[in-house]
Structures are given as C-alpha cells and as structure tokens.
Amino acid sequence: MDSLVAQAWTTFDHVALLPCCVTPAAPILFFGNLPAYRASSLRVVTVALNPSHHEFPTEEPFQRFPLLKNNHGREPERYLGAISAYFREDPYREWFQSFEPLLDGLGASYYDGKNASTALHTEICSPVATDPTWSKLDKTYHKALEKNGGPLFHRLLEALCPQIVVLSVAKDHLKRIKFTPGTDWKTIHAFQDKKDGSPRRDGPYEIRARWYDVSQQQSLFVFGPARTKPLADLTNCRKKEAGGFILKEYRRNSRTAAC
C-alpha cells in the first residue's frame, strides 16, 4: 500500500497547478477504514469519478483529514491513518448517504460497527478534488487528471481485492474499466415505477452487473446510473432492495479466490 500512497501524491503533484484543482488539499486514494475493510466478510468498494471540493472546505481545508494538515500526510502510515479515519471525523454525509442504503442491503456500511462489513469508496478518474465538478470540467483537464488517475484506480483495486464493486456514474464511464471481463453486462433487477407507483418517464431504472478478473479473483462490478448524486433516482427503500438483489447475484455466481 505504501507504493500506492506515493503514486497518489505523484498524481496530485502533476496536476496541482491546474486552476480546477482544489488547494490546499491532498489526494484521496480512498475513503474509509482500511483495516476494518480488510477484516470484513464481504469486501465492498463503491466508486464515483473524483473527490468533491466539499472535502476541503474553504474555511478549514483539512477539517475532514486533520492528520494531513501542514503537509504532514506524505508519510504512508500517517496518510493511511488520516483517510482511514474519514468516517469517524467529519465525512461529507450529504453525498455519502446516497450509497448507505444500498450498502445496508449488502450488510455493509462506511461506518464502523453499523453492519457486519465495512465498505470503502474510491474514484475511477482521479484522486484529486476539483472545482467545478467533473461533468463541468474542460476536456483538457479531464485528460490531465485521468492520465495518472486511471492507472492508480486499477492498481488500488488489485491491492484491495474487492468482491463487489458498485459504480454509480454516467454510463459512458464504464469504458474506463480496463480489467478483463469474465461475462457480459446483464440486468439483475429493473425498477419499473416511481415511489408513487407511476411509470418512470425515462424507462426502468436498471441495476446491471458484470464479472471482472481483479487480482486473480472474480469481482462483481455493479452499475446504477447517477445524477447529481449516486443512485439518485431510487428511494432509500429501493436502494436497500437493490443491495439485496446484488448480494443474491454475488452469492449465486461467486467464484472468488482468497486474496
């Protein structure tokens, strides 16, 4: 993991002077308690695009990562301690709460002790926070951020050896997954109507899944479309239902090897 911390800082340093990058700040390799994740019976990782600028508030940039203050976070043990403590410090709850009901359906949570398993969150495009958000960035900034961010994401998942990976992003971002697929994408459940029972104007909300080879094991990658927040088109009740469908799919077809 030490080499991944070094790679995260190198990635950060290469783009730090771009006007879209938040400063002062630090790269976020992942969010969540790494030791608890590793000890979990089910290793779940959620994925979005890159960290929000809200992770480094203007009035106190390192209030969510106090151990990273004053550039003290480059030493691997201290850095990993800082990001592992994220959900015990001052997490950006408004955003992460979007994933929590689905995690609950999987028997997992970002928060220590809430469920049997502890989940982590990471980013497929870059570990660097930007303002504005990814969808509003110029494509030249996308290219600069992705250059090192994409390979880092893949190296991180190889180290984390997840059993389930949940992505809630725009569908086009699925092409960023470079692992070798074991199956095609398939719909494991489709929510046909809205909370009030009326039909969905844009058609069913589909939870889709595909197996990939990650670190000599099969990992189940799951996709649910996002809007401004992950899984935003589902109620919390249906997010939890979706977690149950995902768990059922994983257990039915699991070919996981020990990591």
Side-chain angles (χ1 to χ4, degrees), residues 28-257:
I28 308 302
L29 186 59
F30 58 81
F31 298 81
N33 188 333
L34 180 61
Y37 165 84
R38 284 177 164 164
S40 295
S41 57
L42 185 68
R43 296 183 301 277
V44 182
V45 173
T46 60
V47 178
L49 301 180
N50 76 310
S52 166
H53 66 276
H54 292 293
E55 300 297 353
F56 299 95
T58 302
E59 62 277 8
E60 180 52 65
F62 293 100
Q63 72 180 48
R64 305 191 196 280
F65 306 97
L67 290 177
L68 300 185
K69 245 182 192 179
N70 302 318
N71 204 32
H72 289 317
R74 292 182 180 252
E75 190 279 316
E77 185 175 354
R78 186 180 183 90
Y79 175 83
L80 291 171
I83 61 176
S84 286
Y86 176 80
F87 289 102
R88 297 194 301 270
E89 291 287 346
D90 183 25
Y92 181 24
R93 291 180 186 273
E94 183 181 348
W95 192 90
F96 282 102
Q97 194 58 34
S98 297
F99 267 126
E100 267 293 299
L102 182 140
L103 292 175
D104 192 31
L106 288 167
S109 174
Y110 296 124
Y111 299 93
D112 296 347
K114 183 178 176 181
N115 264 321
S117 296
T118 299
L120 297 183
H121 177 81
T122 191
E123 318 288 354
I124 196 170
C125 292
S126 176
V128 180
T130 59
D131 188 8
T133 58
W134 190 268
S135 64
K136 297 179 181 178
L137 289 177
D138 186 277
K139 293 189 184 300
T140 58
Y141 294 152
H142 283 174
K143 186 175 180 180
L145 290 160
E146 294 163 357
K147 181 178 179 181
N148 293 313
L152 177 61
F153 165 79
H154 287 81
R155 281 197 63 202
L156 175 65
L157 284 202
E158 288 173 348
L160 293 178
C161 198
Q163 291 156 293
I164 297 176
V165 180
V166 183
L167 302 96
S168 187
V169 294
K171 186 176 180 180
D172 193 51
H173 291 293
L174 297 181
K175 67 185 180 184
R176 301 183 188 282
I177 303 170
K178 304 303 182 184
F179 296 113
T180 301
T183 64
D184 292 330
W185 286 102
K186 75 170 186 176
T187 299
I188 60 174
H189 189 74
F191 293 96
Q192 302 288 344
D193 53 16
K194 298 180 182 178
K195 181 179 180 180
D196 62 5
S198 62
R200 291 181 177 273
R201 184 177 59 184
D202 300 326
Y205 185 96
E206 295 186 340
I207 303 296
R208 297 176 62 79
R210 186 182 200 181
W211 292 88
Y212 283 91
D213 296 325
V214 179
S215 193
Q216 298 182 334
Q217 71 153 17
Q218 289 280 300
S219 297
L220 183 66
F221 280 58
V222 179
F223 168 69
R227 290 189 185 270
T228 55
K229 293 179 183 177
L231 308 165
D233 284 348
L234 296 180
T235 63
N236 285 347
C237 182
R238 287 191 165 177
K239 289 176 187 178
K240 186 170 182 178
E241 286 181 41
F245 289 121
I246 293 166
L247 186 59
K248 184 177 180 180
E249 178 71 14
Y250 173 78
R251 287 174 171 168
R252 181 168 56 239
N253 297 293
S254 175
R255 296 179 291 276
T256 304

